[in-house]
Amino acid sequence: MDEKKQSVVKRVLGTRGMGAVITAFAGLIIIYVAFGIIDRNVFSGQNVMNLLRSMSKYLLIGIGQSYLLITGNIDLSIGSMVGMSAMVSATLMTMEISPVIAIAVALACCLVCGVINGILVGRFKLPPFIATLGTMFVSRGVAYMVNNNRNTDAIATGIGKEAGDRFQNFFYYGKTFGVFNTFWIALVLFLLFFFLLSKTRTGRHIYAIGSNVEAAKLSGVNVVNTTIKAYLISAVCACVVGLILCAQAGMGNMEAGNMYEMYGVAAGVIGGISPLGGTGLLLGTFAGAAVWQTLENGLNMIGAQVGIQRLVIGVIVVFSVLLDVVVRSGNFRKRAEA
């Protein structure tokens, strides 16, 4: 390997947060192989395709939550926005309104919540836990009210079977190049938001806010606008996940997206996104979502109870956050120097 290639490798490996990403991917491989040894069906092509489709929802919700964790904030409303997106789009389609318009209205509703969250946290300095807790209840309330406190009928009853099938195939059941469209949608958004976070001024501002908000202000960062942008990205991700769940069920469910705010946090912190702000790579969120889904998939295939699944994932999340706290405190460095 020549010096130029060596310098590139060193620069990549030296990127802050890359160690956590590598650890997450290594853990993913170990977990996947371990489950594959227990049950060979884990290695089947069909299972891999289903795994990729299922992890896409966690990846998208993890992207939205990761942006906010990096700024030192959180979005408790992201799961409720998923439900609102699913219910608003499904309700409109059962009323014979075009899927394109239904999607646009659902996106607009989520974006409004994103702006409100950003303003409450960025401009009015409300604690993100409180601000987004409020919009969580509001969004879930809209999800309940939009169809008079009941789940919708099948979307095909309104827009027709052909249009309904197109919607469901685009977001969930259809394939392109042998891979479910759900994964392609998640991958495109991941690449877009990865570029935004790692290669643009907005991304640098997001990291700056999470590292030290006062220093960011002194450096000329518009904290309010950047915070709003982060919450808007969370809203976009929530909307898309809502559309995916709507397509999966073929109808709107008022409880869609329940607990997804926690799934997003889990995907981020497992991949090395620091809940303390300022640190983490979106590539880690990809690994974290894959770890989450691989655990869930593998435990399902070996017949583990749901309680065991939640327990295992909960332990991993706590361990990931604890590791981040220890590393930030400098204990590892102090011991190494000693």
Side-chain angles (χ1 to χ4, degrees), residues 8-90:
V8 171
V9 172
K10 287 181 180 179
R11 188 166 63 250
V12 171
L13 294 178
T15 303
R16 190 179 182 187
M18 185 57 70
V21 173
I22 294 172
T23 301
F25 273 111
L28 170 63
I29 294 170
I30 293 170
I31 292 168
Y32 182 68
V33 171
F35 280 125
I37 293 172
I38 297 171
D39 186 344
R40 292 288 179 181
N41 290 324
V42 170
F43 293 138
S44 69
Q46 181 179 359
N47 184 62
V48 171
M49 290 301 103
N50 287 332
L51 195 152
L52 289 175
R53 178 171 62 177
S54 297
M55 73 160 274
S56 299
K57 295 175 289 186
Y58 298 141
L59 173 59
L60 287 169
I61 214 74
I63 291 170
Q65 202 68 277
S66 293
Y67 261 78
L68 291 163
L69 290 174
I70 291 172
T71 65
N73 296 309
I74 195 171
D75 188 357
L76 297 183
S77 68
I78 194 169
S80 294
M81 282 193 283
V82 168
M84 180 173 65
S85 170
M87 281 299 296
V88 168
S89 58

Side-chain angles (χ1 to χ4, degrees), residues 99-119:
V100 174
I101 296 176
I103 292 170
V105 173
L107 178 60
C109 291
C110 291
L111 291 178
V112 168
C113 284
V115 171
I116 292 172
N117 283 334
I119 291 174

